[in-house]
mmCIF file of all heavy atoms in Angstrom:
data_model
loop_
_atom_site.group_PDB
_atom_site.id
_atom_site.type_symbol
_atom_site.label_atom_id
_atom_site.label_comp_id
_atom_site.label_asym_id
_atom_site.label_seq_id
_atom_site.Cartn_x
_atom_site.Cartn_y
_atom_site.Cartn_z
ATOM 1 N N ALA A 61 235.172 13.301 -165.801
ATOM 2 C CA ALA A 61 234.199 12.601 -164.950
ATOM 3 C C ALA A 61 232.776 12.866 -165.434
ATOM 4 O O ALA A 61 231.968 11.932 -165.569
ATOM 5 C CB ALA A 61 234.375 13.028 -163.494
ATOM 6 N N LYS A 62 232.471 14.136 -165.725
ATOM 7 C CA LYS A 62 231.106 14.484 -166.126
ATOM 8 C C LYS A 62 230.751 13.859 -167.475
ATOM 9 O O LYS A 62 229.668 13.298 -167.650
ATOM 10 C CB LYS A 62 230.951 16.008 -166.175
ATOM 11 C CG LYS A 62 230.845 16.615 -164.769
ATOM 12 C CD LYS A 62 231.047 18.111 -164.753
ATOM 13 C CE LYS A 62 229.850 18.886 -165.245
ATOM 14 N NZ LYS A 62 230.013 20.329 -164.945
ATOM 15 N N ARG A 63 231.654 13.930 -168.433
ATOM 16 C CA ARG A 63 231.377 13.395 -169.771
ATOM 17 C C ARG A 63 231.177 11.881 -169.734
ATOM 18 O O ARG A 63 230.362 11.320 -170.462
ATOM 19 C CB ARG A 63 232.526 13.760 -170.726
ATOM 20 C CG ARG A 63 232.307 13.292 -172.155
ATOM 21 C CD ARG A 63 233.375 13.849 -173.090
ATOM 22 N NE ARG A 63 234.717 13.742 -172.537
ATOM 23 C CZ ARG A 63 235.419 12.606 -172.494
ATOM 24 N NH1 ARG A 63 234.896 11.497 -172.958
ATOM 25 N NH2 ARG A 63 236.627 12.589 -171.978
ATOM 26 N N ASN A 64 231.927 11.187 -168.860
ATOM 27 C CA ASN A 64 231.841 9.723 -168.768
ATOM 28 C C ASN A 64 230.829 9.248 -167.734
ATOM 29 O O ASN A 64 230.657 8.050 -167.554
ATOM 30 C CB ASN A 64 233.213 9.144 -168.412
ATOM 31 C CG ASN A 64 234.191 9.167 -169.574
ATOM 32 O OD1 ASN A 64 234.130 8.330 -170.463
ATOM 33 N ND2 ASN A 64 235.090 10.135 -169.583
ATOM 34 N N ASN A 65 230.197 10.209 -167.032
ATOM 35 C CA ASN A 65 229.354 9.867 -165.881
ATOM 36 C C ASN A 65 230.146 8.992 -164.896
ATOM 37 O O ASN A 65 229.633 8.034 -164.309
ATOM 38 C CB ASN A 65 228.070 9.174 -166.325
ATOM 39 C CG ASN A 65 227.018 9.183 -165.222
ATOM 40 O OD1 ASN A 65 227.002 10.078 -164.376
ATOM 41 N ND2 ASN A 65 226.163 8.175 -165.201
ATOM 42 N N ALA A 66 231.430 9.307 -164.761
ATOM 43 C CA ALA A 66 232.345 8.563 -163.896
ATOM 44 C C ALA A 66 232.368 9.182 -162.499
ATOM 45 O O ALA A 66 232.018 10.346 -162.326
ATOM 46 C CB ALA A 66 233.752 8.580 -164.491
ATOM 47 N N THR A 67 232.786 8.398 -161.529
ATOM 48 C CA THR A 67 232.849 8.876 -160.149
ATOM 49 C C THR A 67 234.265 9.290 -159.792
ATOM 50 O O THR A 67 235.219 8.525 -160.005
ATOM 51 C CB THR A 67 232.398 7.748 -159.187
ATOM 52 O OG1 THR A 67 231.066 7.367 -159.528
ATOM 53 C CG2 THR A 67 232.438 8.213 -157.737
ATOM 54 N N VAL A 68 234.397 10.485 -159.234
ATOM 55 C CA VAL A 68 235.690 10.951 -158.737
ATOM 56 C C VAL A 68 235.952 10.317 -157.374
ATOM 57 O O VAL A 68 235.076 10.306 -156.503
ATOM 58 C CB VAL A 68 235.706 12.486 -158.596
ATOM 59 C CG1 VAL A 68 236.938 12.962 -157.821
ATOM 60 C CG2 VAL A 68 235.652 13.153 -159.965
ATOM 61 N N ILE A 69 237.153 9.774 -157.193
ATOM 62 C CA ILE A 69 237.601 9.260 -155.899
ATOM 63 C C ILE A 69 238.801 10.102 -155.478
ATOM 64 O O ILE A 69 239.797 10.177 -156.206
ATOM 65 C CB ILE A 69 237.998 7.775 -155.979
ATOM 66 C CG1 ILE A 69 236.823 6.923 -156.465
ATOM 67 C CG2 ILE A 69 238.504 7.281 -154.622
ATOM 68 C CD1 ILE A 69 237.194 5.463 -156.765
ATOM 69 N N ALA A 70 238.686 10.741 -154.310
ATOM 70 C CA ALA A 70 239.764 11.629 -153.857
ATOM 71 C C ALA A 70 239.537 11.944 -152.387
ATOM 72 O O ALA A 70 238.543 11.498 -151.791
ATOM 73 C CB ALA A 70 239.770 12.921 -154.670
ATOM 74 N N ASN A 71 240.444 12.738 -151.815
ATOM 75 C CA ASN A 71 240.208 13.177 -150.440
ATOM 76 C C ASN A 71 238.887 13.957 -150.372
ATOM 77 O O ASN A 71 238.367 14.410 -151.402
ATOM 78 C CB ASN A 71 241.409 13.977 -149.900
ATOM 79 C CG ASN A 71 241.507 15.395 -150.441
ATOM 80 O OD1 ASN A 71 240.499 16.016 -150.794
ATOM 81 N ND2 ASN A 71 242.712 15.920 -150.525
ATOM 82 N N TYR A 72 238.357 14.135 -149.183
ATOM 83 C CA TYR A 72 237.021 14.714 -149.012
ATOM 84 C C TYR A 72 236.915 16.112 -149.608
ATOM 85 O O TYR A 72 235.896 16.465 -150.226
ATOM 86 C CB TYR A 72 236.671 14.737 -147.517
ATOM 87 C CG TYR A 72 235.304 15.287 -147.234
ATOM 88 C CD1 TYR A 72 234.171 14.516 -147.477
ATOM 89 C CD2 TYR A 72 235.145 16.576 -146.743
ATOM 90 C CE1 TYR A 72 232.907 15.025 -147.251
ATOM 91 C CE2 TYR A 72 233.887 17.100 -146.501
ATOM 92 C CZ TYR A 72 232.764 16.319 -146.764
ATOM 93 O OH TYR A 72 231.525 16.842 -146.534
ATOM 94 N N GLU A 73 237.969 16.914 -149.448
ATOM 95 C CA GLU A 73 237.927 18.291 -149.930
ATOM 96 C C GLU A 73 237.872 18.339 -151.461
ATOM 97 O O GLU A 73 237.090 19.099 -152.046
ATOM 98 C CB GLU A 73 239.148 19.067 -149.411
ATOM 99 C CG GLU A 73 239.122 19.331 -147.907
ATOM 100 C CD GLU A 73 239.628 18.157 -147.056
ATOM 101 O OE1 GLU A 73 239.962 17.092 -147.619
ATOM 102 O OE2 GLU A 73 239.686 18.315 -145.819
ATOM 103 N N ILE A 74 238.698 17.533 -152.118
ATOM 104 C CA ILE A 74 238.693 17.493 -153.587
ATOM 105 C C ILE A 74 237.377 16.913 -154.089
ATOM 106 O O ILE A 74 236.766 17.434 -155.026
ATOM 107 C CB ILE A 74 239.886 16.664 -154.118
ATOM 108 C CG1 ILE A 74 241.196 17.406 -153.849
ATOM 109 C CG2 ILE A 74 239.733 16.365 -155.608
ATOM 110 C CD1 ILE A 74 242.455 16.610 -154.191
ATOM 111 N N ALA A 75 236.913 15.841 -153.443
ATOM 112 C CA ALA A 75 235.656 15.197 -153.860
ATOM 113 C C ALA A 75 234.486 16.171 -153.748
ATOM 114 O O ALA A 75 233.640 16.251 -154.645
ATOM 115 C CB ALA A 75 235.410 13.947 -153.019
ATOM 116 N N THR A 76 234.447 16.935 -152.658
ATOM 117 C CA THR A 76 233.360 17.891 -152.447
ATOM 118 C C THR A 76 233.429 19.019 -153.471
ATOM 119 O O THR A 76 232.402 19.467 -154.000
ATOM 120 C CB THR A 76 233.430 18.459 -151.011
ATOM 121 O OG1 THR A 76 233.399 17.361 -150.097
ATOM 122 C CG2 THR A 76 232.256 19.375 -150.714
ATOM 123 N N TYR A 77 234.633 19.467 -153.759
ATOM 124 C CA TYR A 77 234.817 20.519 -154.777
ATOM 125 C C TYR A 77 234.342 20.011 -156.147
ATOM 126 O O TYR A 77 233.617 20.718 -156.856
ATOM 127 C CB TYR A 77 236.289 20.946 -154.827
ATOM 128 C CG TYR A 77 236.573 22.010 -155.846
ATOM 129 C CD1 TYR A 77 235.933 23.249 -155.795
ATOM 130 C CD2 TYR A 77 237.477 21.787 -156.884
ATOM 131 C CE1 TYR A 77 236.184 24.225 -156.745
ATOM 132 C CE2 TYR A 77 237.748 22.758 -157.838
ATOM 133 C CZ TYR A 77 237.094 23.977 -157.766
ATOM 134 O OH TYR A 77 237.350 24.938 -158.704
ATOM 135 N N CYS A 78 234.700 18.781 -156.508
ATOM 136 C CA CYS A 78 234.265 18.217 -157.790
ATOM 137 C C CYS A 78 232.748 18.068 -157.837
ATOM 138 O O CYS A 78 232.122 18.326 -158.871
ATOM 139 C CB CYS A 78 234.938 16.862 -158.030
ATOM 140 S SG CYS A 78 236.701 16.986 -158.357
ATOM 141 N N ALA A 79 232.167 17.670 -156.712
ATOM 142 C CA ALA A 79 230.700 17.548 -156.649
ATOM 143 C C ALA A 79 230.047 18.910 -156.865
ATOM 144 O O ALA A 79 229.025 19.022 -157.545
ATOM 145 C CB ALA A 79 230.284 16.953 -155.312
ATOM 146 N N SER A 80 230.642 19.972 -156.319
ATOM 147 C CA SER A 80 230.082 21.320 -156.479
ATOM 148 C C SER A 80 230.141 21.769 -157.937
ATOM 149 O O SER A 80 229.409 22.660 -158.346
ATOM 150 C CB SER A 80 230.829 22.318 -155.585
ATOM 151 O OG SER A 80 232.056 22.703 -156.178
ATOM 152 N N LEU A 81 231.009 21.137 -158.721
ATOM 153 C CA LEU A 81 231.125 21.460 -160.144
ATOM 154 C C LEU A 81 230.304 20.479 -160.996
ATOM 155 O O LEU A 81 230.379 20.487 -162.217
ATOM 156 C CB LEU A 81 232.600 21.419 -160.571
ATOM 157 C CG LEU A 81 233.519 22.450 -159.887
ATOM 158 C CD1 LEU A 81 234.970 22.228 -160.287
ATOM 159 C CD2 LEU A 81 233.100 23.874 -160.220
ATOM 160 N N GLY A 82 229.562 19.588 -160.335
ATOM 161 C CA GLY A 82 228.618 18.733 -161.051
ATOM 162 C C GLY A 82 229.082 17.317 -161.332
ATOM 163 O O GLY A 82 228.415 16.575 -162.054
#
Side-chain angles (χ1 to χ4, degrees):
K62 284 165 76 168
R63 182 172 45 77
N64 286 281
N65 197 28
T67 301
V68 169
I69 301 172
N71 76 28
Y72 181 76
E73 291 83 357
I74 291 173
T76 304
Y77 180 59
C78 290
S80 80
L81 297 175

